[in-house]
């Protein structure tokens, strides 16, 4: 397992609500520099709410959210990307009538990222060679797996310090799931990208994780290395079907 650095992301006792109904309660987790951390759990457990809160899409009610030791509680949502956070949302959310190239370029609108746009584009074409051959094609003509690659590439164009992935395996065939997970591993291994992945496919996610958390009805349950959680009898029975 890769040796990771100090925490990049820290959550302490975070609560997020929809109106009066809490969706996430008293959640704490750390993501170390260079690590691949996953949060697994069933549908409705709060995974997407949690990752959207980290991305600034949802405001947290109480608790602390910080990057590199700096609180993001008072940061405007549109400025989260300036703190090095990029989100690949559930469902990909591509501009299907724009070309693959145009979708990628939209990810590099910040000044620092725009200055390195050509380099970032070359790196993404190396990571996802299938996209290079389709740069001028409308994004809507890509297969589901290719669209997921494009969504990840668009987020990487901002050159983030922390990449957030929300259910990247959703709707994909098992072979494509393996390809996406292999790409996530390559990102962390070759580029040193820090990754937080939330995923319902617990086996696929925990198999590549440095550290994993299990979220249950909005609260953190089990935690440990990916290998430890794969061996945990309670996790195996509840989430792995074993």
């Amino acid at each position: 397992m890769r040796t990771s650095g100090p925490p990049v992301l820290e959550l302490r006792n975070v609560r997020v609500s929809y109106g009066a109904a809490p969706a996430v309660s008293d959640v704490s987790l750390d993501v170390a520099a260079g690590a691949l951390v996953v949060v697994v759990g069933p549908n409705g457990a709060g995974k997407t709410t949690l990752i959207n809160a980290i991305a600034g899409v949802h405001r947290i009610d109480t608790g602390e959210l910080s990057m590199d030791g700096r609180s993001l509680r008072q940061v405007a949502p549109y400025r989260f990307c300036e703190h090095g956070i990029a989100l690949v949302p559930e469902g990909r959310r591509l501009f299907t009538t724009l070309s693959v190239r145009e979708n990628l370029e939209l990810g590099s609108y910040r000044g620092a990222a725009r200055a390195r746009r050509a380099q970032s584009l070359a790196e993404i074409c190396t990571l996802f060679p299938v996209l290079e051959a389709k740069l001028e094609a409308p994004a809507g003509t890509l297969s589901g797996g290719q669209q997921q690659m494009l969504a990840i590439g668009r987020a990487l164009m901002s050159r983030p310090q922390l990449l957030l992935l929300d259910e990247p395996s959703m709707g994909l065939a098992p072979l494509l799931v393996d390809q996406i997970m292999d790409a996530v591993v390559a990102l962390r291994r070759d580029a040193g990208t820090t990754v937080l992945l939330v995923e319902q496919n617990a086996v696929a996610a925990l198999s590549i994780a440095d550290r994993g958390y299990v979220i249950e009805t909005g609260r953190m349950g089990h935690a440990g290395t990916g290998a430890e959680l794969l061996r945990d009898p309670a996790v195996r029975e509840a989430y792995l079907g074993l």
Side-chain angles (χ1 to χ4, degrees), residues 4-12 29-38 54 67 162-164 194-197 211 213:
S4 300
V8 168
L9 175 75
E10 296 178 87
L11 272 70
R12 293 292 178 266
L29 64 80
D30 293 330
V31 179
L36 199 171
V37 177
V38 306
I54 295 169
M67 277 283 291
L162 173 65
L163 179 67
L164 306 175
T194 304
V195 179
L196 176 62
L197 162 68
R211 184 163 181 80
Y213 295 87

Side-chain angles (χ1 to χ4, degrees), residues 124-170:
I124 288 160
C125 288
T126 299
L127 179 65
F128 299 121
V130 68
L131 296 183
E132 185 171 17
K134 297 178 178 289
L135 285 175
E136 309 312 324
T141 65
L142 302 185
S143 68
Q146 292 166 353
Q147 288 189 10
Q148 186 63 67
M149 295 173 191
L150 177 55
I152 294 172
R154 180 180 60 186
L156 291 173
M157 288 291 289
S158 70
R159 306 193 73 87
Q161 185 179 6
L162 173 65
L163 179 67
L164 306 175
L165 295 167
D166 188 4
E167 301 275 13
S169 75
M170 180 177 290

Side-chain angles (χ1 to χ4, degrees), residues 29-207:
L29 64 80
D30 293 330
V31 179
L36 199 171
V37 177
V38 306
V39 178
V40 299
N43 279 337
K47 301 188 301 298
T48 291
T49 298
L50 176 63
I51 205 165
N52 281 339
I54 295 169
V57 178
H58 294 315
R59 279 292 186 186
I60 65 175
D61 302 323
T62 58
E64 187 55 68
L65 166 63
S66 61
M67 277 283 291
D68 286 331
R70 294 172 295 185
S71 175
L72 300 183
R73 283 294 306 276
Q74 303 304 318
V75 173
Y78 70 91
R79 292 196 178 277
F80 271 54
C81 60
E82 297 176 7
H83 289 264
I85 298 174
L87 171 66
V88 180
E90 180 181 358
R92 300 183 280 273
R93 309 284 181 88
L94 299 174
F95 295 95
T96 55
T97 61
L98 298 183
S99 70
V100 169
R101 183 189 300 274
E102 288 168 330
N103 271 272
L104 290 171
E105 289 177 346
L106 284 170
S108 59
Y109 70 92
R110 291 193 307 122
R114 190 163 55 248
R116 302 177 68 180
R117 177 178 287 171
Q119 177 186 347
S120 299
L121 183 61
E123 291 169 353
I124 288 160
C125 288
T126 299
L127 179 65
F128 299 121
V130 68
L131 296 183
E132 185 171 17
K134 297 178 178 289
L135 285 175
E136 309 312 324
T141 65
L142 302 185
S143 68
Q146 292 166 353
Q147 288 189 10
Q148 186 63 67
M149 295 173 191
L150 177 55
I152 294 172
R154 180 180 60 186
L156 291 173
M157 288 291 289
S158 70
R159 306 193 73 87
Q161 185 179 6
L162 173 65
L163 179 67
L164 306 175
L165 295 167
D166 188 4
E167 301 275 13
S169 75
M170 180 177 290
L172 301 183
L175 180 60
L176 293 175
V177 172
D178 291 342
Q179 292 177 5
I180 294 297
M181 294 301 172
D182 288 346
V184 173
V185 171
L187 271 177
R188 199 283 307 272
R189 181 190 64 231
D190 300 336
T193 305
T194 304
V195 179
L196 176 62
L197 162 68
V198 303
E199 181 59 65
Q200 188 178 2
N201 188 332
V203 173
L206 292 174
S207 296

Side-chain angles (χ1 to χ4, degrees), residues 27-29 37-42 45 47 50 199 202 206 211-226 228-230 232 234-236 238-240:
V27 166
S28 298
L29 64 80
V37 177
V38 306
V39 178
V40 299
K47 301 188 301 298
L50 176 63
E199 181 59 65
L206 292 174
R211 184 163 181 80
Y213 295 87
V214 178
I215 190 168
E216 303 167 341
T217 60
R219 294 181 179 273
M220 286 302 187
H222 302 267
T225 68
E228 288 169 346
L229 291 177
L230 284 170
D232 187 303
V235 174
R236 288 168 63 86
Y239 300 103
L240 308 185

